[in-house]
Amino acid sequence: MASSKSSFYSPMFATVVSTALLVIFLGGSNAQLSPNFYATSCPNVLNTVKSVVQSAISRETRMGASLLRLHFHDCFVNGCDGSILLDDTSNFTGEKNANANSNSARGFEVIDNIKTAVERVCPGVVSCADIVAIAARDSVGILGGPTWNVKLGRRDARTASQAAANRDIPPPSLNLAQLTSNFAAQGLSQSDMVALSGGHTIGFARCISFRPHIYNDANIDRNFSMIRQGSCPGRRAQGTTAWHLLTSKLQQGLTTSTMRISSPSKASYTPTRNCTEVAQARPMHK
């Protein structure tokens, strides 16, 4: 794991990923969302979330990258609705054990800790989906990146789908054409795709997830692939698992997109007090 903030952060991340998150995770059809959604119902929510995120990253720097990834994987399956947090029930098999998440997605305990802290100051008010979004933003800022206003007011999912997660979350094995198609299915352009890939400029990845690309792909920058090969051997040594800090160089440029974000709906409800449980329809606290 990186020993300092500077080794976890690259300037390109500031210009690329912050814009991507603003444009993509907020979406183009978000008139009902507002940075001030909890201004009266839970005025201390932002400070409460940031305090827990700060503590988690102080204990493990990598956790900031994990919380950002958790938000990305949540948003790619039926919108940013917190469905990735739900445990399996008798009615559905959730997303936690999907191919891209099983033994890989991290930070659930941090979200639980945030939810507990938020419930102490304003019980039954703040959605888990909003907590994940805020935590991702705070993680980027704490790691040395930029910050932005998070538009709030998302409703938590009442179901989840492992099949949808397996279908929609792009695996590392995809080539450029396949990735472009996968992101297009979410209403995202190739420029959006490149910008979101900037999220990999913080955190760690297993060599097994990108080894075929740096050794076999023909359309990869040779100098870049050689640098990656230096810490990711062509064959994994028996009994070892190699992890590598990613600092990819990315092009800039974005287009507006309309990714689904689970905006407030007409059906009122109170957010669950445990992010692993399904929210029930009932009058919403104001």
Side-chain angles (χ1 to χ4, degrees), residues 191-225:
S191 293
D192 295 327
M193 177 187 73
V194 172
L196 279 172
S197 297
H200 294 93
T201 60
I202 59 172
F204 288 82
R206 296 178 64 193
C207 276
I208 193 173
S209 67
F210 61 89
R211 183 184 288 114
H213 292 298
I214 62 175
Y215 283 95
N216 303 329
D217 286 3
N219 59 343
I220 187 172
D221 182 270
R222 180 60 179 165
N223 290 331
F224 175 79
S225 64

Side-chain angles (χ1 to χ4, degrees), residues 2-278:
S3 60
S4 69
K5 179 192 298 183
S6 60
S7 61
F8 242 68
Y9 168 73
S10 72
M12 185 66 74
F13 184 71
T15 57
V16 177
V17 179
S18 62
T19 310
L21 290 170
L22 280 167
V23 174
I24 296 168
F25 288 156
L26 294 183
S29 56
N30 58 351
Q32 292 177 297
L33 300 184
S34 168
N36 301 315
F37 188 83
Y38 299 112
T40 57
S41 59
C42 192
N44 293 321
V45 60
L46 297 182
N47 289 335
T48 303
V49 173
K50 187 172 184 178
S51 176
V52 179
V53 173
Q54 179 72 70
S55 296
I57 293 176
S58 294
R59 291 191 298 270
E60 182 191 9
T61 308
R62 179 184 166 213
M63 184 54 67
S66 297
L67 291 172
L68 176 62
R69 183 171 183 260
L70 196 66
H71 185 37
F72 171 63
H73 281 209
D74 179 36
C75 292
F76 241 62
V77 184
N78 297 320
C80 310
D81 59 2
S83 58
I84 193 173
L85 306 174
L86 297 179
D87 288 336
D88 296 349
T89 72
S90 58
N91 296 320
F92 63 80
T93 301
E95 301 163 24
K96 286 185 175 180
N97 290 311
N99 295 334
N101 296 329
S102 180
N103 298 315
S104 177
R106 311 172 68 245
F108 296 106
E109 73 283 359
V110 178
I111 300 300
D112 287 341
N113 291 340
I114 295 171
K115 182 64 171 175
T116 298
V118 170
E119 286 297 306
R120 291 195 190 103
V121 297
C122 41
V125 174
V126 181
S127 70
C128 296
D130 278 342
I131 285 175
V132 173
I134 299 168
R137 184 273 309 274
D138 288 345
S139 294
V140 173
I142 291 168
L143 289 174
T147 187
W148 59 89
N149 289 328
V150 178
K151 292 188 177 182
L152 304 169
R154 296 166 183 80
R155 296 292 182 256
D156 288 332
R158 299 176 65 188
T159 187
S161 172
Q162 184 177 112
N166 286 334
R167 180 191 67 228
D168 294 340
I169 299 175
S173 59
L174 297 188
N175 59 32
L176 178 59
Q178 292 168 329
L179 281 171
T180 300
S181 176
N182 177 273
F183 276 71
Q186 297 285 351
L188 304 176
S189 70
Q190 194 173 65
S191 293
D192 295 327
M193 177 187 73
V194 172
L196 279 172
S197 297
H200 294 93
T201 60
I202 59 172
F204 288 82
R206 296 178 64 193
C207 276
I208 193 173
S209 67
F210 61 89
R211 183 184 288 114
H213 292 298
I214 62 175
Y215 283 95
N216 303 329
D217 286 3
N219 59 343
I220 187 172
D221 182 270
R222 180 60 179 165
N223 290 331
F224 175 79
S225 64
M226 290 181 65
I227 293 173
R228 299 284 76 80
Q229 291 171 17
S231 56
C232 182
R235 289 187 177 182
R236 178 166 63 94
Q238 186 174 1
T240 65
T241 301
W243 292 80
H244 182 63
L245 175 66
L246 298 181
T247 55
S248 304
K249 293 183 178 180
L250 302 172
Q251 68 184 40
Q252 298 184 49
L254 290 170
T255 58
T256 302
S257 61
T258 56
M259 192 169 191
R260 295 162 293 170
I261 52 174
S262 183
S263 299
S265 62
K266 293 181 180 179
S268 62
Y269 86 120
T270 297
T272 176
R273 298 191 180 186
N274 184 332
C275 288
T276 64
E277 299 174 352
V278 177

